[in-house]
């Protein structure tokens, strides 16, 4: 083959996680030749160390908890979880950390996979260093898309490397259940992994620097999740930071800022994320290595008309499904620009604008109870200058909730824009609410008027009837 045949492409994608795969899928569907570069496993963080393994660990936990709330069934599920079976099921969902199936999918869409570390080496140019040190130069006629994702950010505690702490990767791929586990953090990873490992047999101590869990959601979300974790046996300590951590004869010893000494077999730090941009050659194009990449709504990096940053690296919304959404938008924008289109649909909610990143980001936290939200919280809406009102409903007042399980506890909040009479945000906390949030996502993204929502009749008796209760509460007050 000639150099042009092997190295010149219309589009080069760095990173073959779900985001990079979706960019490649969209550009190939538009007829653009596409190369994709991956240094680890095709399928990325989500497939092997995040979404899939974590939810495989959590599903038996949540299913058992819900079964215990059902009369006639609870007595059959009082025993412990079969931890080896749960871990084996998790291994199946990660394809035992083999990426053959994902590689076949890429081949099916017609993208060329280049194994190795990809680094920008100038405008529209990516140099790939392969497993054996071999080097290839890939050039892009139209676009390079950086889809390298993010990694766990560890605090700067002295001697932390010697402690060998867990990050999200170790927490989702561990092969045995630690007797005692310290979890540091109060966000999604911390609460989900505390839920999973406490149920699998660990004694979990959750150390939260802030005043509450899930601080980015409505306050009641973190409150209900904290209550449930404590009832499950976890030791939840808010307003607590780790001052030092050591490993002594295999035992982790954490000392808090209050002077408390806590011993455990493992410690998980779930204290934030950092972009994987420190070694991708940003300095060759005038950008700072290790920085988040700021983009416009078509996901094009500011100041570079050929460079796109899609997924976690742009810090718009660090969620797999939102990154894949961005990939679809970016792929369409790249294809349109490659075809010479001058008038992109860049207006809000247009085909080439990732407007949902600002207005309609959905998220489910798979704890027990589940917490789900989309759009703006009450505080966020007020901070953005909207004139809004929050409407709250106790989810247990809905007939479907009582049928779902005895002692159902949950809450719903709808944030309504009083000027436009549309829903700006929704938060739901309770068993099973993860499957309800998409209806709210449609209402928020579609900017459906409250008057029209009256005609969206929820089936009886389902938990979705909370929509009717919320609308009634809005009307009556």
């Amino acid at each position: 083959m000639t150099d042009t045949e092997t190295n010149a492409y219309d589009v080069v994608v760095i990173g073959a996680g779900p985001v990079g795969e979706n960019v490649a899928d969209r550009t190939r569907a538009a007829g653009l030749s596409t190369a994709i570069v991956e240094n680890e496993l095709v399928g990325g963080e989500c497939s092997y160390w995040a979404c899939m393994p974590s939810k495989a660990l959590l599903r038996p936990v949540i299913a058992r908890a819900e079964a215990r709330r059902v009369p006639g069934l609870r007595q059959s599920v009082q025993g412990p979880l079969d931890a080896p079976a749960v871990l084996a099921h998790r291994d199946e969902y990660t394809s035992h950390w083999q990426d053959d199936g994902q590689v076949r999918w890429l081949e099916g869409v017609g993208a060329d996979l280049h194994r190795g570390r990809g680094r920008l080496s100038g405008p529209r140019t990516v140099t790939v260093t392969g497993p054996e040190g071999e080097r290839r130069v890939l050039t892009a006629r139209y676009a390079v898309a950086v889809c390298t994702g993010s990694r766990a950010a560890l605090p700067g505690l002295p001697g932390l490397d010697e402690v060998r702490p867990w990050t999200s990767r170790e927490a989702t791929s561990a092969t045995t259940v630690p007797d005692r586990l310290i979890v540091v953090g109060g966000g999604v990873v911390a609460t989900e992994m505390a839920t999973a490992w406490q149920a699998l047999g660990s004694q979990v101590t959750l150390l939260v620097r802030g005043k509450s869990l899930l601080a980015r959601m409505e306050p009641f979300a973190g409150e209900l999740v904290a209550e449930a974790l404590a009832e499950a046996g976890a030791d939840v300590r808010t307003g607590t930071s780790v001052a030092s951590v050591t490993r002594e004869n295999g035992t982790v010893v954490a000392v808090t800022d209050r002077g408390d000494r806590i011993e455990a077999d493992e410690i998980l730090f779930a204290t934030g994320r950092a972009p994987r941009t420190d070694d991708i050659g940003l300095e060759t194009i005038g950008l700072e290595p290790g920085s988040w990449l700021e983009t416009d709504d078509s996901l094009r990096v500011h100041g570079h008309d050929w460079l796109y940053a899609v997924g976690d690296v742009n810090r718009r919304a660090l969620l797999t499904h939102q990154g894949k959404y961005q990939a679809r938008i970016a792929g369409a924008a790249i294809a349109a620009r490659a075809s010479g289109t001058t008038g992109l649909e860049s207006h809000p909610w247009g085909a080439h604008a990732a407007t949902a990143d600002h207005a309609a980001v959905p998220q489910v936290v798979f704890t027990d109870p589940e917490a789900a939200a989309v759009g703006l919280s009450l505080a966020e809406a007020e901070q953005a200058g909207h004139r809004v009102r929050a409407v709250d409903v106790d989810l247990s007042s809905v007939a479907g909730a009582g049928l779902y399980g005895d002692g159902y506890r949950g809450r719903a909040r709808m944030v309504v824009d009083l000027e436009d009479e549309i829903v700006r945000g929704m938060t739901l906390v309770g068993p099973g609410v993860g499957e309800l949030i998409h209806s709210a996502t449609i209402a928020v993204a579609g900017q459906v008027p409250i008057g029209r929502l009256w005609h969206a009749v929820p089936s009886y008796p389902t938990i979705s009837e909370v929509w009717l209760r919320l609308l009634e509460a809005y009307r009556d007050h």
Side-chain angles (χ1 to χ4, degrees), residues 81-131:
L81 289 170
D82 183 343
V86 173
L87 297 179
H89 179 64
R90 181 273 317 272
D91 293 350
E92 291 179 10
Y93 265 83
T94 61
S95 301
H96 299 273
W97 290 274
Q98 300 293 320
D99 63 2
D100 301 23
Q102 300 270 10
V103 171
R104 286 194 296 272
W105 182 87
L106 268 182
E107 291 171 346
V109 302
D112 288 353
L113 172 63
H114 294 265
R115 297 276 193 182
R117 183 171 298 281
R119 300 183 81 255
L120 291 160
S121 47
R124 295 184 173 85
T125 306
V126 175
T127 298
V128 182
T129 303

Side-chain angles (χ1 to χ4, degrees), residues 94-181:
T94 61
S95 301
H96 299 273
W97 290 274
Q98 300 293 320
D99 63 2
D100 301 23
Q102 300 270 10
V103 171
R104 286 194 296 272
W105 182 87
L106 268 182
E107 291 171 346
V109 302
D112 288 353
L113 172 63
H114 294 265
R115 297 276 193 182
R117 183 171 298 281
R119 300 183 81 255
L120 291 160
S121 47
R124 295 184 173 85
T125 306
V126 175
T127 298
V128 182
T129 303
E132 304 301 324
E134 68 278 18
R135 291 160 61 88
R136 284 159 287 168
V137 176
L138 311 179
T139 60
R141 296 184 186 89
Y142 302 115
V144 173
V146 175
C147 307
T148 48
S150 64
R151 56 176 173 79
L154 291 171
L157 291 171
L160 187 59
D161 288 345
E162 287 72 27
V163 174
R164 303 183 304 281
W166 279 9
T167 67
S168 52
R169 283 197 168 195
E170 289 77 19
T172 56
S173 62
T175 57
T176 58
V177 179
D179 290 334
R180 301 162 299 173
L181 174 65

Side-chain angles (χ1 to χ4, degrees), residues 348-400:
W349 307 110
H352 308 114
T355 310
D357 285 349
H358 313 299
V361 175
Q363 181 174 23
V364 177
V365 185
F366 292 84
T367 45
D368 175 39
E370 291 177 345
V374 65
L376 303 178
S377 67
L378 175 60
E380 289 170 338
E382 290 175 340
Q383 188 175 16
H386 299 295
R387 192 167 68 87
V388 294
R389 178 156 64 89
V391 181
D392 291 355
V393 167
D394 184 339
L395 266 171
S396 67
S397 66
V398 178

Side-chain angles (χ1 to χ4, degrees), residues 69 220-221 223-225 227-228 368-372 392-398 401-402 404-413 427-433 436 463 466 470:
R69 300 185 184 106
F220 62 83
E223 292 168 5
L224 287 169
V225 171
E227 289 175 10
D368 175 39
E370 291 177 345
D392 291 355
V393 167
D394 184 339
L395 266 171
S396 67
S397 66
V398 178
Y404 198 88
D406 285 355
Y408 190 104
R409 284 182 293 176
R411 186 173 171 185
R413 169 171 287 180
T427 300
L428 299 158
V429 183
V433 300
L436 272 66
I463 304 175
V466 69
L470 287 164

